[in-house]
Amino acid sequence: MAGKMICLLKGMKPTIAMVMVQIAWGGINVLYKLAKNDGMSMKIMIAYRMIFATASMLPLAFFLERKSRPRLTGRIFFLGFMLGMFGGSLTHNLYVESLVLTSATFAAAMTNLTPALTFIMAIILRMERLAIRSDGGKAKVLGTILSVGGAMIFTFYKGIGINIWPTNIHLLHHHHAMAAVSKHTSAKQALGAFLGVGSGVSIAIWMIIQAKLSKIYPPYSTTTLASVCASIQSVAYAMCTQGQEEWAAWKLGWDIRLLTVLYTGVIGSGLMAALMAWVARVRGPLFVSSFSPLLLVIVAIVGSVMLDELLHLGSILGAVFITVGLYSVLWGKSEEERMEAAQQPNALKGSKDSGLREVTVQA
């Protein structure tokens, strides 16, 4: 009995790890909102996040992959630079601006568009085949349509307000009335939606580049290289756009700003990235992607309880469409992989039979 329990717990390690990742990322959305509410510049926050991510990943890459890491070539550095931009500086800056203009729940919902956007771009780049006649191909196309449709519902249809449960824990209470008037206008909601989709496109490009670089460079070193490049890009972008008169904005104290950059950098872009790399190695990237909708649920609950964010009928309907579309794309991909795996033994057997026939003829 004890042996079976131990085996069960070992088998659940990847699942427990991915649940921990999504919970940690849910906390990132809340801290983003709190840091912005405290007056922190989002550009400076992203710059600090990338710096702390680099500091946390560098020791892992140095000690764990010192012997297996190949020489850094110009091609590897270029891919790392692009990886840092599309997976770090550009993606996070677009995401936090979308978060500020809309809500934590909305920004989290946009991330679930990534598998559909990745599928579309992979087809354009001929890295993925459509195979519309197969069940897997139909599921991927249907899932893409549902995901895009859900994002449009989430963006353009509100419906009635739904308060899950009233609480007195409103961390943004002091600025709530002002934010409701100044930020959540229709024009800013539309801009936030556009930036959220842009963040999803950037993540999709990052995944395609990641697939190329991971074949020639180990994971921790890849993350470190991307974090270094993203740090340089984010700091340069923040310094150019903030202006020299705002150097005081870079100062960190013992407050919510320091907590945010430490948590998002060390935990979000450091330890959780390493944990995801381990899960992807053990169970594959498809397993990692299947937990994306859990982030939306966590952020919706936390945002409603702690940030006093009001959910709407359109938000719930859009989230359902995006989630169903996501799992449809994932199921289609897994079905294609299953069919390909089933065909390989048959092809191998056929080649062996033809080889035996040739030997017989020659004899």
Side-chain angles (χ1 to χ4, degrees):
M1 183 66 182
K4 291 183 179 179
M5 185 63 66
I6 293 174
C7 292
L8 179 63
L9 291 175
K10 286 184 178 179
M12 290 182 63
K13 278 184 179 179
T15 301
I16 296 172
M18 285 310 303
V19 172
M20 289 172 57
V21 168
Q22 300 305 321
I23 293 174
W25 281 6
I28 289 175
N29 284 268
V30 175
L31 288 173
Y32 273 163
K33 275 284 190 179
L34 295 178
K36 178 61 179 179
N37 190 63
D38 191 58
M40 187 177 189
S41 167
M42 295 289 98
K43 302 164 189 175
I44 293 176
M45 182 176 63
I46 296 303
Y48 272 123
R49 174 178 179 171
M50 294 296 100
I51 291 172
F52 280 108
T54 302
S56 63
M57 292 302 298
L58 190 59
L60 290 174
F62 180 78
F63 289 108
L64 298 180
E65 297 173 343
R66 181 171 47 184
K67 296 180 180 179
S68 61
R69 183 172 51 250
R71 185 173 61 89
L72 182 63
T73 62
R75 178 171 179 263
I76 292 175
F77 178 79
F78 174 75
L79 289 175
F81 182 86
M82 299 301 290
L83 199 66
M85 181 171 66
F86 289 108
S89 56
L90 179 60
T91 295
H92 292 310
N93 275 290
L94 290 173
Y95 183 82
V96 294
E97 291 300 330
S98 173
L99 181 71
V100 170
L101 293 172
T102 56
S103 67
T105 306
F106 183 93
M110 291 298 103
T111 61
N112 283 343
L113 280 174
T114 301
L117 294 171
T118 306
F119 173 59
I120 294 172
M121 295 185 64
I123 289 178
I124 295 174
L125 297 174
R126 295 185 178 181
M127 296 177 66
E128 191 83 28
R129 58 190 182 88
L130 188 58
I132 190 63
R133 294 184 179 181
S134 65
D135 292 338
K138 292 176 182 177
K140 289 194 294 185
V141 172
L142 178 62
T144 302
I145 295 172
L146 287 174
S147 295
V148 174
M152 296 184 70
I153 293 173
F154 211 118
T155 305
F156 299 110
Y157 175 68
K158 280 193 172 182
I160 60 174
I162 300 174
N163 194 359
I164 301 179
W165 40 62
T167 67
N168 295 321
I169 309 174
H170 298 157
L171 298 180
L172 302 180
H173 178 72
H174 298 292
H175 299 268
H176 182 70
M178 185 184 299
V181 175
S182 62
K183 291 184 180 178
H184 294 285
T185 61
S186 298
K188 290 189 175 182
Q189 283 276 50
L191 177 59
F194 177 77
L195 294 176
V197 173
S199 176
V201 173
S202 181
I203 295 175
I205 297 173
W206 168 74
M207 286 187 173
I208 291 175
I209 299 174
Q210 177 88 341
K212 289 183 174 295
L213 186 56
S214 62
K215 295 178 180 178
I216 57 177
Y217 217 55
Y220 294 125
S221 298
T222 296
T223 305
T224 303
L225 176 61
S227 297
V228 169
C229 293
S231 298
I232 297 172
Q233 296 161 5
S234 300
V235 170
Y237 173 66
M239 291 178 66
C240 291
T241 55
Q242 286 295 123
Q244 294 183 356
E245 68 278 0
E246 299 183 20
W247 285 113
W250 289 85
K251 185 178 179 181
L252 294 175
W254 295 97
D255 52 14
I256 189 63
R257 301 186 185 192
L258 179 61
L259 175 62
T260 299
V261 297
L262 275 173
Y263 183 90
T264 57
V266 177
I267 304 297
S269 296
L271 297 178
M272 292 302 109
L275 197 58
M276 288 179 65
W278 173 77
V279 175
R281 187 176 74 248
V282 175
R283 299 293 298 272
L286 191 66
F287 182 84
V288 175
S289 301
S290 64
F291 284 83
S292 296
L294 182 58
L295 175 62
L296 178 59
V297 176
I298 293 171
V299 171
I301 294 174
V302 175
S304 177
V305 173
M306 302 185 69
L307 302 180
D308 198 22
E309 292 183 350
L310 183 64
L311 294 177
H312 293 86
L313 179 61
S315 302
I316 296 175
L317 290 176
V320 170
F321 272 83
I322 291 174
T323 302
V324 173
L326 170 67
Y327 279 109
S328 180
V329 171
L330 293 175
W331 181 86
K333 182 64 179 175
S334 63
E335 185 68 11
E336 286 187 348
E337 291 176 351
R338 186 183 66 82
M339 293 297 294
E340 290 176 0
Q343 290 174 359
Q344 286 179 356
N346 294 332
L348 184 62
K349 182 179 178 182
S351 63
K352 287 183 178 180
D353 291 342
S354 61
L356 287 174
R357 284 195 297 271
E358 289 179 2
V359 170
T360 305
V361 170
Q362 289 176 359

